[in-house]
Amino acid sequence: ELVECARPLPVTFHRAFDETADLFRALDDVIATGATRILTSGGNPSASEGRHVLAELIRAARGRVGILPGGGINPSNLREVVWRTQATEFHSGLGSSLPYERSSHEEFGREVRKLAEVLREIEAARQIEAAQKPGESAPRAGMPSTSDS
């Protein structure tokens, strides 16, 4: 009902998803609501720790809903999460690398720029890989994006 009320805006299901007993059954339940994406750490404390489950969720979703890895994503672990999950969107509040109450806008900006640089490096590597395999494309065309709120 809430998804309907939000139309035409996209709806992201919160990380409460991670508290369910069966993530794959919950995946189907969320898909049935019409939500656009699910913010999840794969049922783990962080997306990095849940990267293998996240990859399974992405495969199981089969494009019916976006799986948005989130929870502890920062410049030092983003590359691993991208490569292990093959997700195309990511959420980072940067709370794992910047304490909210003690961080300045400048520090936050530096960390966001670091995330962007990691994504540029990943995209460049994918383009090189695609160029080395004529007739094949990189695993996921297009540059992954991050959500910072």
Side-chain angles (χ1 to χ4, degrees), residues 13-20 23 39:
F13 198 88
H14 189 269
R15 278 190 63 195
F17 176 85
D18 291 324
E19 301 301 318
T20 62
L23 294 177
L39 174 60

Side-chain angles (χ1 to χ4, degrees), residues 20-42:
T20 62
D22 182 341
L23 294 177
F24 294 91
R25 181 174 176 182
L27 173 66
D28 289 330
D29 292 342
V30 173
I31 289 169
T33 72
T36 307
R37 66 182 55 85
I38 301 169
L39 174 60
T40 177
S41 59

Side-chain angles (χ1 to χ4, degrees), residues 48-91:
S48 182
E49 292 170 84
R51 63 192 180 275
H52 299 292
V53 176
L54 287 163
E56 291 176 34
L57 286 166
I58 290 167
R59 281 191 294 277
R62 298 188 312 272
R64 298 173 292 161
V65 68
I67 302 298
L68 180 64
I73 292 180
N74 59 56
S76 68
N77 64 19
L78 177 59
R79 183 175 282 103
E80 177 74 13
V81 174
V82 170
W83 287 113
R84 297 288 180 205
T85 66
Q86 294 297 302
T88 58
E89 297 180 294
F90 305 88
H91 170 76

